[in-house]
Amino acid sequence: QVQLVESGGGLVQAGGSLRLSCAASGLTFSHYYMGWFRLAPGKVREFVAGISWSGAVFYYADFVKGRFTISRDNVKNTVYLQMKSLKPEDTAVYYCAAGYGDYDNVGSDFGSWGQGTQVTVSS
């Protein structure tokens, strides 16, 4: 049974930083691409960032490029999202997701999801 547990959310002022973590269990972590998504009130869930098995391939949504960094530790079975220069519009519940990959890339089929962690950015 795959389990993803996010942590690191909280309240931060605009311009501040947070680092989210997602600890994975119940899967061969190094065979899964990982992603971060977010859901803000009144909006649809949106892709934030994704990373391949090895960490060599990654993608970002345009609205976080240059501010957020995704990384992973395949020994600790953990994926991270370092967020800097946070804006009030980054306020959302952030979800970690995992997808099994046949090769070292970021796919679109994220079959496993965490419960989410709230990020609130005050102005």
Side-chain angles (χ1 to χ4, degrees):
Q1 178 180 349
V2 176
Q3 188 173 16
L4 304 175
V5 179
E6 302 97 334
S7 61
L11 173 64
V12 64
Q13 289 188 331
S17 300
L18 282 175
R19 188 177 83 154
L20 305 182
S21 299
C22 172
S25 60
L27 75 169
T28 305
F29 187 69
S30 58
H31 290 180
Y32 282 72
Y33 53 86
M34 302 296 295
W36 287 97
F37 293 76
R38 70 186 188 185
L39 180 61
K43 297 187 177 181
V44 298
R45 185 177 65 194
E46 54 187 359
F47 172 82
V48 175
I51 190 167
S52 67
W53 299 340
S54 68
V57 180
F58 41 84
Y59 298 101
Y60 295 98
D62 287 343
F63 54 78
V64 302
K65 283 182 180 177
R67 299 190 299 123
F68 292 9
T69 303
I70 189 170
S71 62
R72 65 189 293 160
D73 185 330
N74 286 352
V75 174
K76 296 182 178 180
N77 285 8
T78 301
V79 63
Y80 304 97
L81 186 68
Q82 178 68 53
M83 306 185 294
K84 299 180 180 179
S85 302
L86 283 161
K87 306 175 182 180
E89 51 264 43
D90 293 319
T91 295
V93 177
Y94 284 72
Y95 296 89
C96 171
Y100 181 80
D102 291 324
Y103 53 96
D104 195 20
N105 204 340
V106 181
S108 59
D109 183 15
F110 290 89
S112 299
W113 295 80
Q115 294 300 305
T117 186
Q118 175 71 48
V119 171
T120 303
V121 185
S122 62
S123 57

